[in-house]
């Protein structure tokens, strides 16, 4: 399933308004023709959540789309059922999930399978990826889809996080992105390359339908001139068809409609 420029633009306008009424940060990105990885992820999930479907959000805690509450509300109303599963107590703050389960995905059981599973910025924290993907495949209906949106293990910010002591993660994130301590978790990077995700998917009866490296120019979005530098470098690299070094991964996987064995 492909996400079109029109799909992404629709999500962008839902979050920030019409081009002539944008705030300073969205206006800057819009002028450069840049859309964030979140925009693409949200556009993809918007297309996959069909009326009446059963949807399981894995590891989302209190948020479905932290920066797009309107889309969270719309899709929660559009689907037939939304379950949130997360080992963090944050899950109990989720206003959109009808079923809120504080558990690891490997521990969760459901009497009915799901049409769609989403995993937003969670894969980098998974320490037992084989068990996690096996559980998600088990919870999907035949023909159901799994969306994994995560950071790239080989991006500069990921490399810095990997070598930085965990106790420093929140102070750095708070300064750069104004995050809360309860939203900072240790990283493992065991399913954060396309190859790792493909291998896990194949092992558990899932086929990669689409995959994208999404350029991420949000590292310094709070700092106007540094963000201009990011966006300018991105535009130059794009003009010569080179990948921006900081990027996220967005994979879509489908469960086989034929029973295994």
């Amino acid at each position: 399933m492909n996400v079109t420029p029109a799909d992404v633009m629709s999500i962008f306008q839902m979050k920030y308004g019409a081009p002539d009424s944008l705030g300073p940060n969205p206006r800057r990105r819009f002028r450069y023709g840049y859309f964030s990885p979140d925009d693409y992820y949200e556009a993809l999930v918007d297309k996959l959540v069909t009326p009446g479907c059963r949807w399981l959000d894995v590891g989302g805690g209190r948020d479905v789309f932290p920066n797009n509450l309107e889309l969270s509300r719309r899709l929660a109303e559009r689907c037939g059922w939304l379950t949130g599963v997360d080992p963090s107590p944050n899950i109990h703050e989720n206003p959109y999930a009808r079923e809120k389960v504080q558990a690891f995905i490997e521990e969760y059981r459901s009497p009915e399978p799901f049409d769609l599973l989403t995993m937003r910025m969670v894969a980098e924290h998974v320490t037992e990826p084989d068990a996690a993907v096996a559980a998600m495949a088990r919870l999907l209906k035949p023909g159901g889809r799994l969306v994994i949106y995560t950071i790239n293990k080989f991006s500069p910010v990921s490399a810095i996080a990997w070598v930085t002591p965990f106790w420093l993660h929140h102070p750095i994130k708070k300064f750069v992105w104004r995050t809360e301590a309860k939203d900072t978790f240790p990283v493992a990077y065991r399913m954060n390359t396309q190859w790792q995700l493909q291998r896990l998917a194949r092992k558990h009866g899932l086929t990669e339908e689409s995959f994208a490296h999404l350029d991420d120019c949000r590292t310094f979005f709070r700092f106007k001139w540094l963000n201009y530098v990011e966006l300018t470098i991105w535009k130059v690299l794009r003009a010569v068809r080179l990948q921006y070094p900081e990027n996220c991964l967005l994979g879509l996987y489908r469960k086989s409609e034929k029973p295994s064995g």
Side-chain angles (χ1 to χ4, degrees):
M1 179 174 289
N2 294 321
V3 172
T4 68
D7 296 329
V8 180
M9 186 63 192
S10 175
I11 292 296
F12 183 85
Q13 289 185 307
M14 182 187 300
K15 285 195 284 190
Y16 305 114
D20 59 356
S21 63
L22 296 174
N25 288 340
R27 186 186 310 121
R28 188 183 312 135
R29 298 195 296 272
F30 184 75
R31 286 175 176 172
Y32 273 81
Y34 170 79
F35 297 96
S36 78
D38 280 1
D39 297 333
Y40 284 92
Y41 169 70
E42 291 163 15
L44 177 59
V45 177
D46 184 35
K47 297 184 80 166
L48 291 170
V49 175
T50 55
C53 77
R54 285 179 53 81
W55 174 18
L56 170 59
D57 188 48
V58 181
R62 66 177 180 271
D63 298 306
V64 179
F65 308 113
N67 300 310
N68 196 338
L69 301 184
E70 175 61 20
L71 185 63
S72 301
R73 182 189 64 78
R74 289 188 190 185
L75 297 192
E77 292 176 355
R78 184 191 303 168
C79 71
W81 186 262
L82 172 57
T83 292
V85 176
D86 194 314
S88 168
N90 293 352
I91 187 64
H92 299 296
E93 301 174 34
N94 190 314
Y96 307 104
R98 299 190 192 181
E99 179 186 24
K100 306 168 190 180
V101 181
Q102 187 179 346
F104 288 99
I105 191 61
E106 300 94 317
E107 302 165 342
Y108 175 65
R109 297 292 185 274
S110 173
E112 294 183 60
F114 292 85
D115 301 284
L116 174 67
L117 270 69
T118 52
M119 194 182 211
R120 178 195 179 280
M121 291 297 161
V122 176
E124 63 270 24
H125 307 294
V126 174
T127 56
E128 299 292 339
D130 193 69
V133 176
M136 292 189 287
R138 166 178 54 79
L139 290 162
L140 274 175
K141 292 179 180 179
R145 289 182 168 105
L146 166 65
V147 180
I148 298 179
Y149 168 46
T150 188
I151 56 181
N152 186 344
K153 177 180 180 178
F154 298 113
S155 291
V157 170
S158 303
I160 292 169
W162 182 248
V163 299
T164 302
F166 179 65
W167 63 269
L168 273 174
H169 285 201
H170 173 61
I172 294 171
K173 289 175 66 178
K174 183 178 180 181
F175 174 73
V176 178
W177 298 301
R178 291 181 175 169
T179 58
E180 296 184 45
K182 61 183 177 180
D183 294 323
T184 300
F185 305 96
V187 291
Y189 298 141
R190 295 181 180 175
M191 47 190 299
N192 287 86
T193 68
Q194 184 177 13
W195 177 83
Q196 288 174 325
L197 291 170
Q198 285 178 332
R199 180 182 60 81
L200 288 163
R202 282 196 300 266
K203 182 175 180 180
H204 298 289
L206 304 172
T207 302
E208 183 184 278
E209 279 198 341
S210 66
F211 193 91
H213 289 80
L214 304 173
D215 297 336
D216 193 351
C217 298
R218 299 172 296 178
T219 303
F220 299 109
F221 80 96
R222 284 186 52 227
F223 307 95
K224 178 179 177 181
W225 296 109
L226 287 175
N227 193 219
Y228 270 125
V229 171
E230 284 183 296
L231 290 166
T232 300
I233 294 171
W234 169 77
K235 196 152 193 174
V236 170
L237 291 176
R238 191 180 184 200
V240 296
R241 303 194 178 196
L242 291 177
Q243 179 78 56
Y244 189 72
E246 189 67 38
N247 58 80
C248 297
L249 312 179
L250 180 60
L252 174 62
Y253 307 89
R254 186 176 186 130
K255 183 173 180 177
S256 172
E257 298 196 29
K258 296 180 180 179
S260 58

